[in-house]
Amino acid sequence: MRKIRIIVHVSLDGVFQPAATPGEGGDDYANGGWTVPYRTPDGRQAVLEAHGSSFDLLLGRLTYELFAGFWPKAGNIPIANAINAATKYVATHRPGSLGWGPARGLGPDVVTGVREMRSKDGPDLVVLGSASLASVLLAEGLVDEVLLLVYPVLLGRGRRFFPEGAETRKLALVGTKTTSSGVLMNTYRPVA
């Protein structure tokens, strides 16, 4: 059975929004690129290792669209190569419009589609961004691990990864690392 890991970059106040997001009320978001000052070679290596040597992606439709506009143009770098090569399983009502591949829709019932992908042999499934999808997966008990990369910055505004009113979930801290720029890489596992 494949494992499902959520990997998310958040500010100390829980914001994960990286840039202005057209159509989401974030067109005027002033904090775009907030992770850039904290990027370091040791952090980049740790993030690569966290993804694993081979992985597939579970993405919400908006994240898929944002990634499709960025990663194919990111150049010949290890993380871009890995993300571009990964099979993208997307929560969408329009699977025929998934032009950045390899990709396929999860079907009309996302939870059933994820359970099916999880039960098959293959690389681990990684959720990047996709807060709505991540919340559903956590609520359904389908997540094996959450990696929060916590940046030493307060942004004050922006979309938060764990929304107000999210269902209570207990997580156990199973590992932590710190990059040279002060980013905490905290690994959690859900407590049954």
Side-chain angles (χ1 to χ4, degrees), residues 151-166:
Y151 289 71
V153 62
L154 297 169
L155 296 174
R157 63 181 283 234
R159 188 165 177 219
R160 284 169 169 62
F161 190 74
F162 298 105
E164 181 84 22

Side-chain angles (χ1 to χ4, degrees), residues 1-190:
M1 179 161 63
R2 301 162 92 173
K3 291 185 177 183
I4 296 178
R5 294 191 324 271
I6 295 171
I7 300 176
V8 62
H9 301 254
V10 298
S11 65
L12 278 174
D13 52 348
V15 173
F16 83 109
Q17 183 176 355
T21 308
E24 260 204 352
D27 301 341
D28 63 346
Y29 187 62
N31 293 327
W34 59 269
T35 63
V36 173
Y38 303 97
R39 293 181 189 164
T40 60
D42 65 315
R44 186 176 309 113
Q45 184 60 37
V47 169
L48 277 171
E49 290 170 8
H51 281 79
S53 59
S54 177
F55 60 90
D56 287 338
L57 294 170
L58 290 173
L59 301 172
R61 182 62 190 227
L62 178 60
T63 303
Y64 171 85
E65 294 292 339
L66 293 170
F67 281 15
F70 176 78
W71 287 111
K73 302 171 194 163
N76 185 19
I77 56 174
I79 192 64
N81 295 340
I83 287 173
N84 286 319
T87 299
K88 295 99 179 142
Y89 297 100
V90 185
T92 183
H93 296 290
R94 301 180 324 260
S97 63
L98 300 173
W100 173 50
R104 66 174 278 208
L106 287 167
D109 182 338
V110 170
V111 172
T112 299
V114 169
R115 287 185 198 281
E116 180 184 320
M117 289 304 102
R118 189 176 191 223
S119 69
K120 295 181 177 184
D121 288 333
D124 285 350
L125 298 161
V126 174
V127 180
L128 299 175
S130 306
S132 297
L133 177 60
S135 292
V136 168
L137 299 178
L138 281 165
E140 291 292 326
L142 293 171
V143 176
D144 297 289
E145 192 172 270
V146 177
L147 173 61
L148 287 181
L149 290 94
V150 184
Y151 289 71
V153 62
L154 297 169
L155 296 174
R157 63 181 283 234
R159 188 165 177 219
R160 284 169 169 62
F161 190 74
F162 298 105
E164 181 84 22
E167 188 174 320
T168 301
R169 286 277 166 220
K170 291 186 179 182
L171 303 171
L173 179 67
V174 296
T176 191
K177 294 179 185 177
T178 306
T179 70
S180 59
S181 63
V183 176
L184 295 175
M185 299 179 68
N186 295 324
T187 304
Y188 299 90
R189 292 206 179 109

